[in-house]
Amino acid sequence: AFGEIWKSSESSCWHTTISNKTKRALHKKKRIILRFKKNTIDKPIVYKLVKDYNLVFNILRANILPRAESMMVMEIEGTEENFDKGIAYLRGLNIDTEPMEQDINRDEEKCVHCGVCTSVCAPDALYIDRETMRVNFDYEKCVACELCVRVCPVKAMNVFFD
């Protein structure tokens, strides 16, 4: 019902094909904020999310301190079932989880394409197209650090809360 399973002749891995419709129904991708208490930072949570729940992660931002509360912004993806189990695992460790409720937006009418924002954008979500000399914004790379908001001279970058 979900697709074919076969063993590759080029490797010892098993592969599966799933229809795109099934993939969309089973797949979940979300940006979340994890808030750690002082006594939970020494747990191998990322390892467990990958190994036990087969989730793919991308750490977008982290502020981890040894004897203080810490936070991490992650993009996590996997099947909906594994995603939900992974979040339940985190909550069971007394790690607060919340959806990332802020996004960075650009007001195209205000932007003068000066490029100041590109100098502070570590993940290269803001970059200059050398052909057109215009600043492009790749939302998928944005980690919502807000540095671009602070440096934009015309205030074209802003924070949007869900």
Side-chain angles (χ1 to χ4, degrees):
F2 288 110
E4 295 178 16
I5 299 176
W6 77 93
K7 189 170 183 180
S8 170
S9 60
E10 298 165 6
S11 71
S12 60
C13 297
W14 287 89
H15 303 274
T16 183
T17 58
I18 301 173
S19 73
N20 285 337
K21 184 178 179 183
T22 304
K23 282 181 188 176
R24 284 190 298 274
L26 298 175
H27 194 261
K28 193 174 207 177
K29 182 176 183 177
K30 251 187 178 173
R31 292 180 181 194
I32 62 169
I33 299 170
L34 306 179
R35 297 195 189 280
F36 301 86
K37 311 287 189 287
K38 285 190 262 188
N39 61 345
T40 57
I41 65 163
D42 62 341
K43 308 276 191 275
I45 64 151
V46 172
Y47 169 79
K48 296 285 269 177
L49 291 174
V50 172
K51 185 177 180 298
D52 294 351
Y53 303 103
N54 199 30
L55 296 171
V56 176
F57 72 94
N58 184 16
I59 298 173
L60 302 174
R61 185 167 74 183
N63 185 16
I64 309 296
L65 303 168
R67 286 176 289 282
E69 289 193 5
S70 301
M71 71 80 106
M72 182 185 304
V73 178
M74 297 177 77
E75 185 174 67
I76 300 178
E77 66 180 298
T79 65
E80 190 161 350
E81 179 183 0
N82 286 348
F83 184 92
D84 293 341
K85 285 180 181 179
I87 295 299
Y89 159 74
L90 294 172
R91 290 183 179 146
L93 293 175
N94 201 23
I95 297 171
D96 293 332
T97 63
E98 57 191 76
M100 192 165 99
E101 296 179 352
Q102 71 182 34
D103 282 319
I104 304 296
N105 292 311
R106 180 173 67 177
D107 184 333
E108 296 296 335
E109 292 180 14
K110 284 185 179 179
C111 184
V112 295
H113 301 276
C114 66
V116 173
C117 57
T118 65
S119 67
V120 297
C121 187
D124 293 325
L126 291 157
Y127 61 95
I128 296 174
D129 179 334
R130 295 296 172 192
E131 197 172 297
T132 63
M133 294 309 290
R134 294 179 63 82
V135 175
N136 290 330
F137 181 40
D138 184 347
Y139 170 79
E140 292 296 317
K141 291 182 179 180
C142 182
V143 298
C145 67
E146 300 181 31
L147 291 176
C148 58
V149 175
R150 293 184 202 135
V151 301
C152 182
V154 296
K155 306 296 180 213
M157 302 302 293
N158 54 65
V159 180
F160 172 79
F161 292 91
D162 287 341

